[in-house]
Amino acid sequence: MASELMTYWERCAEKRWGKHLSEFEHKLVAYAVSMTRGPGAALEIGCEGGRWSRLLAESGWGITCTDVDEKVLEVCQARIPKAKCILVKPTDKELPVRSNTIRLMLCIEVWELAHKRWLFAEAHRALEDGGLLVITCPNRLSWRGTYSFLRGTAGKWYPGTYSGWKRKAQESGFEILMEEGYAWCPFQRASDSRWVGILTRLEIVLRLRYLTVVSPWVGVVVQKTQPAPYIPPAGT
């Protein structure tokens, strides 16, 4: 990938810490794909430059991509000409797809949306029966969440706990298929520290990924099930 075409977060993903996070998130996507009936319609929420969507498109998926940033959406469209790229607003509370049409939905590192009740209802509406949602959830009940609270930024980046998120998902008609915690190590997103390899191996040895209740971030794959979803209060 030419460096001049790379978005900011893609440049971060080339660093040691970014690669570690991306490898984990790639595992989530690969697992979800393996649990589907095969390629169908996919939606990526907050696609940025389309890293994940391009992987799906290369495997035969029909892609719809959304983002609030017009410039990165243009990069995504250039990379995936057949994708339907849609510019959305931060205030939108509806997904721009028809009901029961999406087989696989991605919402990776879109922290502002992860805890929104409307997202659960909209994801359930848009997904076909048995459809899958891959999402990463920030967890206030973690060291990163506590740090964000002390800085006064928890409301934006860590608006809720994973336990609360999981309850909302189940109330909304989803079954948890996979859940693992990650991002335990104290690195900035663009860190290229040599300590990344050592501390991330320690994370695996200590089995911290299974402590989802207190994990900083949690990667989750959920499946749409019946009955109909919980209807959230208006405006949430």
Side-chain angles (χ1 to χ4, degrees):
M1 185 186 305
S3 59
E4 66 270 20
L5 294 179
M6 293 179 71
T7 65
Y8 171 76
W9 294 114
E10 289 169 343
R11 290 194 296 272
C12 289
E14 293 294 308
K15 306 298 184 180
R16 287 185 174 92
W17 181 237
K19 285 182 179 178
H20 169 73
L21 299 178
S22 293
E23 287 170 0
F24 174 83
E25 291 160 359
H26 185 276
K27 183 179 75 170
L28 287 176
V29 176
Y31 171 80
V33 168
S34 74
M35 296 297 290
T36 68
R37 301 194 303 273
L43 167 67
E44 183 175 8
I45 302 167
C47 64
E48 218 232 350
R51 281 192 301 149
W52 305 115
S53 287
R54 183 160 61 174
L55 288 177
L56 294 177
E58 290 172 350
S59 298
W61 289 79
I63 308 295
T64 299
C65 303
T66 70
D67 205 284
V68 297
D69 187 327
E70 186 174 6
K71 291 183 179 180
V72 297
L73 198 64
E74 289 174 354
V75 173
C76 180
Q77 185 70 82
R79 292 174 178 168
I80 318 171
K82 292 184 179 180
K84 183 178 182 181
C85 294
I86 302 173
L87 181 66
V88 295
K89 299 177 182 178
T91 54
D92 287 348
K93 294 183 180 180
E94 295 181 355
L95 299 175
V97 292
R98 293 183 292 112
S99 299
N100 304 308
T101 59
I102 301 299
R103 184 164 298 172
L104 179 62
M105 186 179 299
L106 307 182
C107 187
I108 297 176
E109 293 194 39
V110 189
W111 308 124
E112 301 93 325
L113 293 186
H115 286 273
K116 297 293 187 182
R117 280 197 178 272
W118 71 260
L119 180 62
F120 292 94
E122 276 293 283
H124 196 283
R125 176 192 66 77
L127 286 168
E128 64 185 26
D129 291 345
L132 302 178
L133 167 65
V134 180
I135 188 167
T136 53
C137 175
N139 183 15
R140 183 178 289 185
L141 190 61
S142 67
W143 79 262
R144 286 184 183 271
T146 299
Y147 179 66
S148 185
F149 174 78
L150 293 175
R151 294 183 63 192
T153 59
K156 180 177 182 180
W157 302 115
Y158 290 85
T161 66
Y162 177 63
S163 296
W165 184 95
K166 188 173 181 177
R167 183 178 63 254
K168 290 178 189 176
Q170 292 169 334
E171 289 174 346
S172 301
F174 289 101
E175 176 185 354
I176 309 293
L177 299 185
M178 177 183 179
E179 55 180 349
E180 284 191 23
Y182 70 125
W184 282 86
C185 302
F187 298 111
Q188 296 289 333
R189 194 64 175 78
S191 176
D192 206 26
S193 171
R194 295 181 180 179
W195 284 94
V196 169
I198 296 171
L199 294 184
T200 53
R201 283 194 293 272
L202 184 61
E203 175 184 310
I204 294 171
V205 170
L206 296 177
R207 300 176 66 83
L208 295 179
R209 288 188 172 178
Y210 299 101
L211 301 178
T212 55
V213 172
V214 291
S215 177
W217 301 352
V218 185
V220 198
V221 178
V222 299
Q223 184 173 43
K224 174 181 174 177
T225 59
Q226 298 301 326
Y230 167 81
I231 304 300
T236 59

